[in-house]
Amino acid sequence: VRRWGEKPDELKALLAARKLTLVALSSGSVTLDPAKLDANLALHVSNARFLRQVGGLYLQVTDERPAGREPSADDYRRMGWALTELGRRTADIGVTLALHPHMGALSQSPGDIRRVMDASDSRLVRMELDVAHYAQGGGDPAEGVRTYAGRLLFLHIKDVESPVSGRGPESYRFVELGRGRVNLPAVFQALKSVGFDGWAVVELDEVPDGARTPKESAEISKQYLRGLGLIEF
């Protein structure tokens, strides 16, 4: 957005020339602070409008966890309302909203996620399931697919190592597919069983081994998917 916000047509042309689809724009977090909510929602709507202008599909957001205390029932209720309101505004401009459950966010554990999703309108707030974050938050990603099948918009397919060797018991890092503890074959089987027919985006936040390049990490994940018979190229 910083680079192309004032020239969306130029980015749209570049994507088309490379036969690329902008599946989703990560718009950041929805705030729990009532004093900041209007400006926060306006920012996300602006990002959704830009996304629409460049031919992108979905707006993904995380949700803010209260600092220094455990979430309250009111936090989940207010977040559900804020997400619903944002989903209504983005739908008005032709963009579907998806919540990305995330470590450190209000929607971190399966229970947290359920409370927020139950508090939001299923017609306006969909699920973007990141299978590694869901696993690290204490959930079974395959079960997450089945639980949210009716609201599942798209996925982040990635893996997580936890705990990390030589670090504390709570440590984790995201790794190439097949290098962590996510049962990815079970995830793909669950997607098949619910008839999912949407985007699944292979993601890696950063290269976990400094001796490798991003391209080499991508190749590891590609070969893993090829071994499962999921890609042919």
Side-chain angles (χ1 to χ4, degrees):
V1 175
R2 287 191 297 269
R3 180 171 182 180
W4 304 106
E6 299 302 318
K7 43 188 178 182
D9 290 342
E10 189 173 336
L11 177 56
K12 185 176 182 179
L14 287 170
L15 291 168
R18 289 161 175 76
K19 297 182 174 62
L20 293 173
T21 298
L22 179 54
V23 177
L25 174 65
S26 178
S27 191
S29 184
V30 174
T31 186
L32 274 172
D33 186 343
K36 298 178 180 178
L37 184 58
D38 285 346
N40 181 250
L41 294 181
L43 174 63
H44 293 307
V45 171
S46 176
N47 287 343
R49 189 171 292 111
F50 167 77
L51 177 70
R52 178 72 170 173
Q53 290 171 331
V54 301
L57 303 180
Y58 312 131
L59 191 77
Q60 72 180 57
V61 294
T62 57
D63 50 4
E64 182 180 81
R65 194 172 188 88
R69 62 174 176 83
E70 288 299 306
S72 67
D74 188 56
D75 291 327
Y76 296 111
R77 180 191 62 79
R78 290 190 295 113
M79 183 56 68
W81 180 89
L83 289 167
T84 297
E85 179 60 25
L86 178 57
R88 180 177 294 110
R89 297 184 192 184
T90 62
D92 286 344
I93 56 179
V95 171
T96 305
L97 178 71
L99 175 64
H100 180 340
H102 201 286
M103 292 300 295
L106 182 61
S107 294
Q108 176 172 271
S109 72
D112 293 332
I113 298 166
R114 169 60 71 187
R115 292 181 183 96
V116 173
M117 295 300 278
D118 284 351
S120 63
D121 190 327
S122 61
R123 298 167 297 178
L124 298 169
V125 182
R126 303 284 297 278
M127 166 63 72
E128 187 266 286
L129 183 63
D130 182 308
V131 298
H133 277 281
Y134 196 84
Q136 188 60 29
D140 174 355
E143 184 59 34
V145 168
R146 292 186 287 269
T147 298
Y148 295 103
R151 296 177 76 170
L152 187 58
L153 187 62
F154 71 105
L155 300 97
H156 280 170
I157 301 296
K158 67 183 178 188
D159 213 341
V160 62
E161 177 189 357
S162 174
V164 180
S165 178
R167 303 183 189 175
E170 303 300 318
S171 64
Y172 67 92
R173 65 176 180 175
F174 299 116
V175 293
E176 298 90 350
L177 302 188
R179 297 286 178 98
R181 62 181 183 86
V182 177
N183 187 341
L184 291 163
V187 169
F188 290 115
Q189 182 57 45
L191 290 170
K192 183 178 180 179
S193 72
V194 301
F196 179 75
D197 186 25
W199 282 94
V201 179
V202 176
E203 184 190 46
L204 184 60
D205 300 54
E206 62 182 8
V207 177
D209 183 345
R212 286 197 290 272
T213 65
K215 183 176 181 180
E216 288 168 339
S217 286
E219 187 66 28
I220 290 169
S221 292
K222 177 181 176 180
Q223 292 301 329
Y224 177 82
L225 293 174
R226 181 180 283 157
L228 294 181
L230 294 169
I231 59 173
E232 296 180 356
F233 62 90

